Amino acid sequence: NARFNPKASDTRWQRVWEESRTFVADDSSAKPRTYVLEMFPYPSGRIHMGHVRNYTMGDVIARYRRAKGYEVLHPMGWDAFGMPAENAAFEKKVHPGSWTRANIATMRDQLKGLGFALDWSRELATCEPDYYGQEQALFLDLYAAGLVYRKESSVNWDPVDHTVLANEQVIDGRGWRSGALVERRKLNQWFLKITDFADELLDGLDALEAWPEKVKLMQENWIGKSQGLRFRFRLAQPAAGFDGFEVFTTRPDTLFGASFAAISPDHPLAEALARDNEALGGFIADCRATGTAAADIETAEKKGFDTGLSVVHPLDPDWKLPLFVANFVLMDYGTGAVFGCPAHDQRDLDFARKYALPVKRVVAGGDDPEAPVGDEAYTGPGRLINSGFIDGLSIEDAKKAVIARAESEGWGQGTTVWRLRDWGVSRQRYWGTPIPIIHCEVCGVVPVPRKQLPVLLPEDVTFDVPGNPLDRHPSWKHVECPQCGKPARRETDTLDTFVDSSWYFIRFASQPGDKPFDKKVAEQWLPVAQYIGGVEHAILHLLYARFWTRALRHIGMLDVAEPFTGLFTQGMVTHETYKSAEGQWLSPDDVEKRDGQLVEIATGAPASAGRVEKMSKSKKNVIDPSPIIDQYGADAVRWFMLSDSPPERDLAWSEAGIEGAWRFVQRVWRLVDGTAPADGGDADLDRKLHKTIAGVGEDVDALQFNKAVAKLYELVNAVEKAKPSASRHTAVDTIVRLVAPMMPHLAEEAWARLGREGLVADAPWPEADPALLVDDSVTIAIQVNGKLRDTLIAPKGAPKADIEALALSSEKIQGVLAGASPKKIIVVPDRLVNLVA
Ligand code: ANZ
Ligand code: ZN
């Protein structure tokens, strides 16, 4: 009775699956198809527990659906461009390509070691020319369709390193390497017209029934559709060549409560006024010192500069409002100008208090309309007051009335404004897809001719100085203009890596050598039926991929509206944190318990355990999966990843947990090892088995893996207790198929041990017999004077007299009654018996 030995078994079956091409998806299969995909990893070095959890979940679905008769596409690849490779090049003096490819090799081995049912024949890495060359072709297709354009826009500029910084490289307003205060600079950048699809991307969310509500809400907010009024404020006196400007409001109903107007520091009027107002110029410069991220601007303290000018209220020519330049007004939202109504907007109220501006209530809600406004703006429902012709109207009616008045008098019009901006895809970096454009002094912007694709990244680049290595490469950017033949310059910007991840799932479905994908073949697989990944991608990646898919449909390349019909966002893997007496983070390997006290192993000094948190390098609470897999085998690790927590919640890694999983793997093996054909039935076990078959299937369909795991524990318990019988032998055989998606190596080993032909990976999912799913016995509570004393199991629908007799024969009940006979017996059929003593 040998133990299950994962060391030998894991590699044996991984090799068998690979050699027999078990998980290679067949493009011409006659079976129904399904596409299961986990977000592909960034090859940062080694896989982490988050990957293991994510890919295990996807694998269970893929294997289960295969067993249910589907042709499953379940591919894997690498999101291989991006900044960390350039940072490694700078710090460790390795080429980003060598660093990335070495990481891929390591991580591929690690994933293979977990026995995932992946179609490795479709593996791709976005940093290889066969991928990014096709991406360049798609970029040119979108360019030809008018969905790509070039525009001046602000970037974060590091004045010491002379380089553009990504938002995440700006830390507290300073460049991450130089520490210099970051400036905003204008550069020509490439944009994709995602805003053309804003309506579609918003409306399309409704159809995504198998998406988490919270993700849809995040996308909706990001797209940010606002309806309101756009109108013109006239300056009381023209200034700097301006006689007025446009504002946008979602609350035209509050126009009678206006107390100031404000424009963005980047507004052309502000810039014009600053030309002969040094103080204003200084104010604007201060505002620009904040990074470009909207979040930075929103959290910064609200500040204004009084221009001394005023604007005329559109509903009353005698009413003048002071004009401020204010740091909270964004130039790229609405019109870059607003009016403030302090009584009904918190930000305006804070601003009004700071600059002693009037506060007039115009909406009467729950509170006393006569009371002065305190520290809190009222933003709830109500009726209009102090508002002339709209007095008494509801907010909605008042909005309509003001818009109607503005349109009839010609000073404004109803309009829709979107928060969504066009997608800026230019990155001034080396390790990305080169943008296939040539700049010619004569011809202007010229697309690289198709036959010159791919535009390859040069290999000989240096990272010893900051900035874009493509730009300072001695020869790469100098080319002939494809149109006029004169000397011209290559675009040296590369594409945002979110472009790479916006279509990889299409390339997985079809990857011909001569085009991005074959329409027919890709459409056979798409959309992805089940996509799984981290909630951190809830907005950008998912929105960009949705946009890219719709853009391809728009230009007729792919007839798919939504790329991912099912989405699941899994929780994180967490672990206890540890600290030394000095408050330094300690790794789990550095501490141990001695006489019940946690100590630092190296010094023996006391240490303490802290909160359970997401595994992260900074808190040193990372557990590397590799040694764990070596010790316990892939199946125990996979099993642990699925047990304990619902998949959408965090999972706390623990030694006890993995040991429990390991013991369970061995228990299943012992059942298999100890079973033999036998005679006789076991009706209870048959029912238990068939309920488990049905339940596990339902749980996996509902992505409730922890529940499936719990049911399998119960079934294994029951089989361990059962006496030898034909039922028991069948149950063991079935258990092997039921655990196969979760512990596939053990399942193959067991399948062979049971003498079954072929692979369990190719075996069909067991079928539940509906006749065995109905309960035909019930558990009945026995009470004495209303208190629960015992339970009994009786056939469903048993007559009252039988139940009475059964209850009275219970030893416990006889003990409680102590010889007395009950005065009265109440029987609720199939539920309870109450004996009144
Ligand atoms: C007057 C007003 C009164 C406003 C009131 C709100 C409440 P959403 O819903 O996000 O679209 N706004 C307009 N353009 C802006 C810009 N470029 N930068 C900063 N704020 C801007 O928000 C629209 C509201 O945000 C607009 O409605 C405007 O303030 C402000 F009781 O106008 B409101
Ligand atoms: Zn030219």
Side-chain angles (χ1 to χ4, degrees), residues 440 442-443 481 483-484:
C440 168
V442 183
C443 317
C481 170
Q483 258 168 42
C484 70

Side-chain angles (χ1 to χ4, degrees), residues 53-75:
R53 193 175 186 205
N54 187 183
Y55 300 140
T56 300
M57 289 180 192
D59 203 52
V60 170
I61 300 169
R63 286 177 177 270
Y64 168 71
R65 293 199 181 164
R66 252 178 71 75
K68 293 285 277 184
Y70 286 93
E71 187 69 31
V72 176
L73 174 56
H74 185 216

Side-chain angles (χ1 to χ4, degrees), residues 23-35:
F23 306 117
V24 174
D26 179 1
D27 281 337
S28 53
S29 170
K31 296 182 193 168
R33 288 152 205 275
T34 191
Y35 188 171

Side-chain angles (χ1 to χ4, degrees), residues 667-701:
R667 276 170 65 192
V668 176
W669 178 249
R670 274 197 300 276
L671 278 187
V672 172
D673 207 35
T675 191
D679 287 331
D682 180 337
D684 283 345
L685 190 60
D686 288 346
R687 262 198 305 281
K688 180 92 195 158
L689 176 67
H690 283 265
K691 278 190 180 168
T692 309
I693 294 173
V696 168
E698 282 163 20
D699 292 340
V700 172
D701 274 329

Side-chain angles (χ1 to χ4, degrees), residues 272-287:
L273 292 171
R275 263 178 234 129
D276 35 42
N277 185 338
E278 220 175 285
L280 176 56
F283 177 80
I284 293 175
D286 278 354
C287 294

Side-chain angles (χ1 to χ4, degrees), residues 5-17 745 749:
N5 174 9
K7 278 227 163 49
S9 192
D10 287 6
T11 44
R12 170 161 60 245
W13 296 108
Q14 286 157 21
R15 195 170 325 115
V16 170
W17 295 325
H745 307 88
E749 200 68 50

